[in-house]
Amino acid sequence: MSQWLVRDYLARRGNARFKEQQIVAARCPLLGYALSSMRIEGSRVSHWFLEVNTQPEVGNEGYDQGAKILFAYFHEHLKQFLLPELSPLGRKIIECCLNNGNVEDYKGFFLK
C-alpha cells in the first residue's frame, strides 16, 4: 500500500522533498528511509501505511525475514563487483553492505 500512496503523492507533486521529521531509518538499512508521516490532499496518512513492518499482514517478523533474504542476495552478488577498477566510493558502499552497515553509514558517503 505504501508504494501506491507515494506514487500518487509524487505524481501530484512532482519532485518532492521530505522534511527530516517525516522520515525514519528503515528497519532494514538497505532500504534507507521510510516515511513516518505524510499528507495527501490535506488528509494525514497513518504511519502503518508507510512503514511496512507496522502493517498487520507483515509485522516485524515478516519484515525481518524479507530483510534476511535481501541481505543474502546482496552478499552473494556484490562481491563480483569488487574489482581494482571500481571507484573508491563504489568500493566503500559495497563494503558497507557486506559489513552490514546502518543507514547512517550509507548517509555518510554523501554528506561530505
Side-chain angles (χ1 to χ4, degrees):
M1 179 56 88
S2 58
Q3 298 92 329
W4 289 106
L5 291 170
V6 173
R7 285 179 191 160
D8 182 67
Y9 184 84
L10 293 175
R12 292 170 190 254
R13 297 209 50 206
N15 185 17
R17 293 198 177 265
F18 297 103
K19 297 175 183 166
E20 236 179 275
Q21 60 267 27
Q22 286 181 279
I23 59 173
V24 293
R27 191 173 172 90
C28 174
L30 292 175
L31 300 178
Y33 292 92
L35 280 170
S36 61
S37 67
M38 80 188 279
R39 289 189 179 277
I40 296 180
E41 306 251 339
S43 297
R44 187 176 184 285
V45 177
S46 179
H47 78 94
W48 64 269
F49 276 114
L50 304 169
E51 297 176 58
V52 176
N53 60 301
T54 62
Q55 295 173 6
E57 303 84 7
V58 179
N60 287 338
E61 187 177 329
Y63 185 97
D64 292 345
Q65 288 299 315
K68 283 181 186 178
I69 294 167
L70 191 59
F71 271 110
Y73 177 85
F74 278 98
H75 282 217
E76 178 183 344
H77 293 283
L78 281 179
K79 293 174 188 168
Q80 67 182 316
F81 298 104
L82 289 173
L83 302 171
E85 61 269 17
L86 180 64
S87 74
L89 178 58
R91 179 172 299 283
K92 287 178 184 177
I93 292 170
I94 290 174
E95 288 172 348
C96 183
C97 178
L98 296 175
N99 292 324
N100 298 319
N102 61 40
V103 173
E104 290 300 315
D105 295 331
Y106 289 107
K107 184 178 174 182
F109 297 133
F110 302 101
L111 294 180
K112 294 181 180 180

